Amino acid sequence: MYITEYLSNDIKPGKINYSPNQLLEVIEENKLNHIPLFNGLHFVGNISEEDLIELSLEDKAEVDYSSYVENFFLSESSTLLEAIQMMYTNQTNILPIINEQSKYLGIITESDIIKIFANFPFVSSQGISMLVSITEKDLSMTSISNIIESNNGKILGMMIVGNKEDSVYVLLKFSSSNLLTIGETFERYGYQVIQKFYNDEKQELLHSRYEQLLKYMNT
């Protein structure tokens, strides 16, 4: 999951000699909230749409972007998970990938990441999604897998999605015709089955259950 496997060159980064309006054109065309800036091939930083709008109103012949740029980027060894965290931290939907010599390799956008994750088997495979909780001290991924596989199920993935007090919430994805037995086995081993989701349920029902889960975890 190194980011270099997914980088793109579809969006051209900005240059420090571009006017604010030229940079805003790229931002608006690609629905971005930042654009990376370069001096030749060397990364200078990212500038936000908000700052560019402000600068465009000043109508200067030459603009010094140095006090406006934000210095966030991914390296060649960064992962998709790091990209998600960096986007969230910096409230951006685009990240440049820069090598050790500060030279540009490409970018990855928020929509790119969504498409990548949408094709992961954990998301795209047909199966049952189940949310379970267990005390943190009793959490065992091996035990969870054993419960599903001992009931003729096939585990497709699992992910810790939250904590509440001393409990951990784990989202499971698996295929099985023994859903009832698997649920009962989880409860027998001290797990609480919070929700079950099926691929053939209507989107409105999934949304309703998700809202119920958020409300439950925030109480």
Side-chain angles (χ1 to χ4, degrees), residues 45-198:
N46 306 281
I47 189 164
S48 70
E49 179 181 25
E50 184 177 303
D51 287 334
L52 285 170
I53 291 172
E54 179 185 328
L55 288 167
S56 70
L57 298 175
E58 296 178 3
D59 197 27
K60 293 181 179 179
E62 292 186 7
V63 179
D64 181 6
Y65 295 111
S66 59
S67 61
Y68 292 90
V69 293
E70 303 170 57
N71 191 35
F72 56 82
F73 60 91
L74 297 169
S75 69
E76 293 175 272
S77 60
S78 298
T79 66
L80 281 175
L81 297 181
E82 288 173 313
I84 293 170
Q85 183 62 48
M86 189 175 291
M87 282 186 177
Y88 174 78
T89 300
N90 294 283
Q91 294 297 289
T92 188
N93 60 2
I94 182 172
L95 293 170
I97 296 95
I98 309 298
N99 68 12
E100 292 181 355
Q101 289 75 43
S102 296
K103 292 186 178 180
Y104 176 71
L105 299 178
I107 56 97
I108 190 164
T109 65
E110 184 179 59
S111 60
D112 291 332
I113 291 176
I114 291 172
K115 289 175 185 175
I116 292 164
F117 273 90
N119 287 306
F120 282 1
F122 181 79
V123 177
S124 62
S125 297
Q126 294 292 316
I128 299 163
S129 296
M130 179 182 287
L131 182 70
V132 301
S133 70
I134 189 70
T135 58
E136 189 168 2
K137 65 182 179 64
D138 293 324
L139 175 65
S140 168
M141 296 300 187
T142 302
S143 296
I144 290 174
S145 297
N146 288 340
I147 288 171
I148 293 171
E149 291 171 354
S150 65
N151 287 285
N152 298 319
K154 180 182 178 182
I155 189 83
L156 300 172
M158 63 180 81
M159 178 170 60
I160 295 175
V161 294
N163 300 78
K164 184 179 179 182
E165 297 175 353
D166 64 341
S167 293
V168 179
Y169 292 80
V170 185
L171 181 62
L172 312 172
K173 183 76 172 284
F174 59 91
S175 59
S176 176
S177 58
N178 296 323
L179 177 60
L180 181 61
T181 304
I182 288 174
E184 290 173 345
T185 306
F186 271 121
E187 291 175 348
R188 191 163 63 249
Y189 280 89
Y191 291 82
Q192 182 181 2
V193 178
I194 307 296
Q195 294 282 358
K196 308 181 194 75
F197 303 99
Y198 303 87

Side-chain angles (χ1 to χ4, degrees), residues 11-27 29-30 35-41 44-45 47 51-53 55-56 59-66 68-69 104:
I11 300 172
K12 291 185 178 180
K15 302 290 185 180
I16 59 171
N17 61 342
Y18 287 6
S19 70
N21 284 324
Q22 285 177 302
L23 295 172
L24 281 170
E25 284 181 17
V26 179
I27 279 183
E29 181 182 348
N30 295 284
I35 185 169
L37 281 180
F38 286 80
N39 182 4
L41 294 174
V44 175
I47 189 164
D51 287 334
L52 285 170
I53 291 172
L55 288 167
S56 70
D59 197 27
K60 293 181 179 179
E62 292 186 7
V63 179
D64 181 6
Y65 295 111
S66 59
Y68 292 90
V69 293
Y104 176 71

Side-chain angles (χ1 to χ4, degrees), residues 198-213:
Y198 303 87
N199 280 34
D200 59 353
E201 289 182 307
K202 293 182 179 179
Q203 189 65 30
E204 292 83 2
L205 182 56
L206 288 174
H207 179 74
S208 173
R209 291 187 172 182
Y210 180 69
E211 292 293 332
Q212 292 173 20
L213 167 62

